Amino acid sequence: MARNRLKKSILAAFAGMLVASAAQAGGLERSGYNIDLLFDPSDFAAEATATYVNPQRELKNVVDTNPANSDAVAETFGGGDLNYRPNSADETESYWAPRIGFKAALGDSVDCMADYSQPWGAHTNPGQNWAGANNNIETKVESNNYAATCSYKWDMGPGFMRVIGGVFYQEVGGFKERLVQDFTGTGLPFSGVGRLELEDSGWGWRTGVAYEIPEYAMRASLVYNSAVDLDNLSGSIDLRQVGFVIPGVGVVSGSKYDVHGSASMPDSLELKVQSGIAPGWLAFGSVKWTDWSQLQVLRFVPNEPGFGRFGTSLDLLYRDGWTVTGGIGHKFNDQWSGAISLTWDRGTSHGYGAQTDTWLLGTGVTYAPTQNVELRFAGVAGIMTSGSSGQVTYQGEVIGDDVSYDFDNDFVGAISTSLKVRF
């Protein structure tokens, strides 16, 4: 029993690091998907995890490369040159990523779990006082994911095989603000800020297989998570802080109107492998592919045409994400175990945006005061690599001609804590 308990503790230590590492993956990933609780050998288990992530991306050498702001809205007002503003900005905001799950064994062959998480999200907030405010003042994306996953297992060789299946319901929403027109020094009572708000929900599913040999703490799993289609992605554009020139009348404020579009949150495929390699030692690794390249240019059009109503787009231009992790864990005694890992995440930006490759070093420790309780603490420190963003061409359309900037290697850190109770 003590031997199995130590294996559980080592697995818990590296699981905490993987949660913290996933929170700084590319695209819109916050914590992604995680079904590790499904494999817990207890009849019943509950787990709560909270991860805090602190990315410190700083943009430098910022240039307003198109003072005329060539979209349809800005052309109406004549654009604005923001190069008199600061040419640097702190882009990223810290955030929390929670997860709650419950697992139950239904007989000898069936295990099921239900969990809540926030797999996707983003929060950039460089503010209004920088030379790229016509591109972004603040952008925030949030999500809620409610999932149910089950597995069926049977004996095979020295271990047992599992087939895995599940469904999840996902809510996604957010907003973006940017400076449509610079009214500084004009005396007009407008901020010039436009705001886009969006939300939708959809269903997804997962399937996978796993093979386990508990005696050696060996497990290999391959799990596919489907895309979540947001076919009714809708919201509003608020231009009430933007002025329209009407001959014979003067300058009047714009309006708030409804818009619609569509998008899909990405599908993913993840391979995880772990095995005992010596008494008290465990090696683990994972490779994950995420289909972020389906998020390119998301277009939104007014529900009804009218004066002062313009369409807009969210220009993401992501490429597929790849995340590779490897590490080793060790037991210290009956209560304490620890692990260390190295993670590489391929950046989803390639010429436009600031999501470059990330390298993360993680450590984790687990304290098991009793057989039924585990406390887990993990930390990650890493580097977001340097790069630049500027004008690119997508399907014959110029994207990113409003602002250019550079960024150096920047620090990112994360901490994670969790409590698991078995009963």
Side-chain angles (χ1 to χ4, degrees):
M1 181 63 69
R3 181 182 179 186
N4 288 336
R5 176 176 161 190
L6 290 170
K7 290 175 183 175
K8 294 174 186 176
S9 297
I10 298 173
L11 296 178
F14 93 80
M17 291 184 304
L18 296 181
V19 170
S21 297
Q24 189 49 39
L28 300 175
E29 187 152 338
R30 276 276 166 93
S31 59
Y33 301 120
N34 189 311
I35 62 168
D36 287 348
L37 183 62
L38 184 68
F39 300 102
D40 191 281
S42 303
D43 289 339
F44 301 96
E47 184 177 43
T49 302
T51 303
Y52 174 76
V53 183
N54 180 25
Q56 298 181 13
R57 176 64 88 194
E58 182 181 358
L59 308 182
K60 301 179 178 180
N61 305 320
V62 181
V63 177
D64 180 0
T65 54
N66 186 359
N69 290 345
S70 62
D71 73 8
V73 178
E75 283 182 347
T76 304
F77 316 117
D81 187 348
L82 304 183
N83 284 313
Y84 68 93
R85 299 189 180 198
N87 67 350
S88 64
D90 294 327
E91 184 190 42
T92 49
E93 292 281 349
S94 302
Y95 60 86
W96 286 92
R99 182 188 302 277
I100 301 173
F102 176 80
K103 178 259 180 179
L106 308 178
D108 294 332
S109 300
V110 177
D111 295 291
C112 289
M113 65 169 284
D115 70 292
Y116 165 80
S117 63
Q118 296 178 356
W120 318 125
H123 193 188
T124 58
N125 187 19
Q128 190 167 336
N129 189 33
W130 72 300
N134 56 7
N135 175 267
N136 182 33
I137 293 176
E138 183 177 10
T139 300
K140 191 172 187 179
V141 177
E142 297 177 303
S143 66
N144 296 294
N145 192 76
Y146 309 89
T149 307
C150 291
S151 70
Y152 177 80
K153 63 184 178 182
W154 67 93
D155 291 339
M156 178 178 287
F160 53 85
M161 192 79 181
R162 288 183 192 253
V163 292
I164 302 166
V167 296
F168 43 90
Y169 175 73
Q170 205 163 101
E171 301 169 335
V172 181
F175 69 87
K176 178 173 183 175
E177 292 184 344
R178 67 183 187 87
L179 193 66
V180 176
Q181 177 58 58
D182 181 15
F183 288 113
T184 303
T186 66
L188 294 174
F190 303 112
S191 69
V193 175
R195 180 182 175 97
L196 170 67
E197 294 188 17
L198 299 165
E199 63 178 5
D200 197 7
S201 60
W203 290 87
W205 53 271
R206 64 170 50 104
T207 186
V209 294
Y211 184 72
E212 301 170 79
I213 305 178
E215 182 180 359
Y216 302 108
M218 181 271 175
R219 182 171 75 230
S221 64
L222 181 66
V223 177
Y224 171 79
N225 296 283
S226 77
V228 176
D229 293 330
L230 306 176
D231 294 328
N232 298 306
L233 192 56
S234 59
S236 63
I237 291 179
D238 190 346
L239 296 180
R240 289 176 294 184
Q241 290 298 313
V242 174
F244 289 80
V245 178
I246 300 179
V249 177
V251 179
V252 298
S253 66
S255 63
K256 182 178 181 180
Y257 53 92
D258 294 332
V259 295
H260 67 275
S262 63
S264 291
M265 303 313 295
D267 51 339
S268 64
L269 182 66
E270 185 169 21
L271 172 67
K272 289 185 177 182
V273 179
Q274 64 189 44
S275 179
I277 55 176
W281 290 89
L282 178 84
F284 56 89
S286 66
V287 178
K288 181 174 67 174
W289 163 82
T290 307
D291 188 18
W292 287 114
S293 61
Q294 64 181 286
L295 293 178
Q296 297 294 306
V297 177
L298 309 182
R299 304 187 188 280
F300 302 95
V301 298
N303 291 0
E304 298 178 357
F307 173 77
R309 296 185 174 186
F310 304 87
T312 190
S313 66
L314 290 178
D315 302 329
L316 300 176
L317 299 186
Y318 290 151
R319 64 177 176 176
D320 287 353
W322 286 92
T323 306
V324 180
T325 296
I328 192 167
H330 179 58
K331 70 178 178 74
F332 301 109
N333 54 44
D334 286 352
Q335 284 78 41
W336 292 93
S337 61
I340 188 169
S341 71
L342 180 66
T343 297
W344 167 74
D345 182 80
R346 187 178 82 158
T348 54
S349 299
H350 50 118
Y352 176 79
Q355 293 192 0
T356 50
D357 290 9
T358 302
W359 290 90
L360 301 168
L361 180 65
T363 59
V365 63
T366 295
Y367 173 61
T370 72
Q371 180 181 343
N372 297 323
V373 176
E374 286 181 358
L375 294 171
R376 202 161 60 215
F377 305 93
V380 168
I383 296 295
M384 300 181 291
T385 57
S386 61
S388 61
S389 176
Q391 179 176 309
V392 298
T393 301
Y394 171 71
Q395 296 183 349
E397 179 183 2
V398 175
I399 304 293
D401 62 344
D402 50 355
V403 64
S404 67
Y405 50 79
D406 303 318
F407 42 88
D408 297 329
N409 294 329
D410 291 316
F411 173 81
V412 57
I415 56 173
S416 177
T417 182
S418 68
L419 170 66
K420 179 187 284 187
V421 179
R422 301 182 178 93
F423 48 95

